[in-house]
Amino acid sequence: NAGVTQTPKFQVLKTGQSMTLQCAQDMNHNSMYWYRQDPGMGLRLIYYSASEGTTDKGEVPNGYNVSRLNKREFSLRLESAAPSQTSVYFCASSVRQGYQETQYFGPGTRLLVL
Amino acid sequence: AQSVTQLGSHVSVSEGALVLLRCNYSSSVPPYLFWYVQYPNQGLQLLLKYTTGATLVKGINGFEAEFKKSETSFHLTKPSAHMSDAAEYFCAVLSRSGSARQLTFGSGTQLTVLP
């Protein structure tokens, strides 16, 4: 049971390049999330998918798109990378028990945009 | 809207001393509260959570937190710090809007443990 996995671990892009960050979970969770982490700002939600086939914007969605490919996989795409998107990106998945929910995080992808 | 404030972006304690990391929240509904720990170059690991019931919550690695509704606080404590506790700690509150669930995080507290 690998939990939440993310690829790649590190990436360097030039301004204007595109890339897709991959996330997969093997815990049969319905909900998945993408966050970015910047120094002194904690984690901020980019997009989430409450269930397979649905996606919704979070706090900072501009410049990103997502795809919930199936129940296991949730990808994040940067169509035209900008230096402001230099960050550490975390994927999470969650299990719900009534109103309660616990999110489990992947190891992160460190992205540098030059 | 929910929000979380962590007082002190950096906290230093001596090995064996009490660890106290402060977290205050605002929530318009009964909150679900979490503490996560992040070791260098790693993802976030759940330390403990409060949902309902007992207000004193015990987590992994000897940490515990107490939910105090009157103070809107959820401070994290450990009686005796260990060198391995050095990490960044995040408090978070779960917000609920219809079927959506979102975690709102504080800005984090970096814990340094001095020998």
Side-chain angles (χ1 to χ4, degrees):
Chain A
N1 190 336
V4 180
T5 57
Q6 293 182 236
T7 56
K9 286 184 168 51
F10 303 96
Q11 184 71 48
V12 179
L13 292 179
K14 296 181 179 178
T15 296
Q17 287 185 318
S18 63
M19 79 162 294
T20 299
L21 283 65
Q22 305 287 353
C23 174
Q25 53 92 8
D26 62 1
M27 296 178 282
N28 200 36
H29 289 170
N30 285 324
S31 301
M32 297 185 73
Y33 307 81
W34 277 106
Y35 293 88
R36 59 177 289 172
Q37 182 181 31
D38 302 293
M41 302 187 74
L43 280 77
R44 293 179 293 168
L45 184 65
I46 305 172
Y47 270 93
Y48 66 97
S49 171
S51 61
E52 187 178 355
T54 69
T55 60
D56 287 285
K57 295 179 180 179
E59 181 185 352
V60 289
N62 291 345
Y64 304 95
N65 285 300
V66 290
S67 294
R68 184 72 183 269
L69 304 169
N70 48 55
K71 190 172 185 179
R72 290 187 65 248
E73 299 172 288
F74 189 37
S75 63
L76 179 71
R77 183 160 177 85
L78 287 70
E79 291 291 351
S80 179
S84 61
Q85 294 178 305
T86 292
S87 188
V88 183
Y89 291 86
F90 288 99
C91 178
S93 69
S94 68
V95 57
R96 291 187 183 179
Q97 297 165 317
Y99 284 111
Q100 301 180 19
E101 174 170 311
T102 301
Q103 293 187 16
Y104 297 90
F105 287 79
T109 293
R110 284 156 180 77
L111 177 65
L112 173 63
V113 183
L114 301 174
Chain B
Q2 277 81 355
S3 66
V4 175
T5 302
Q6 291 184 240
L7 297 175
S9 58
H10 291 84
V11 170
S12 293
V13 300
S14 297
E15 191 173 18
L18 172 71
V19 175
L20 171 60
L21 304 183
R22 299 179 186 274
C23 172
N24 289 90
Y25 68 91
S26 69
S27 176
S28 57
V29 297
Y32 294 154
L33 296 158
F34 302 80
W35 275 100
Y36 284 86
V37 60
Q38 184 180 29
Y39 298 102
N41 299 315
Q42 294 188 25
L44 277 72
Q45 180 181 359
L46 180 67
L47 263 183
L48 49 79
K49 62 182 179 181
Y50 169 78
T51 53
T52 58
T55 56
L56 182 63
V57 181
K58 295 187 185 299
I60 61 171
N61 302 337
F63 284 92
E64 61 183 35
E66 186 171 11
F67 170 62
K68 292 187 176 180
K69 184 177 179 180
S70 61
E71 299 178 8
T72 61
S73 69
F74 191 55
H75 302 330
L76 182 70
T77 60
K78 182 174 180 178
S80 177
H82 192 272
M83 297 296 288
S84 60
D85 294 328
E88 189 157 21
Y89 292 79
F90 293 94
C91 182
V93 62
L94 184 70
S95 62
R96 310 184 291 279
S97 176
S99 64
R101 304 285 188 272
Q102 298 184 41
L103 272 179
T104 299
F105 284 86
S107 56
T109 297
Q110 183 68 48
L111 176 65
T112 300
V113 181
L114 305 171

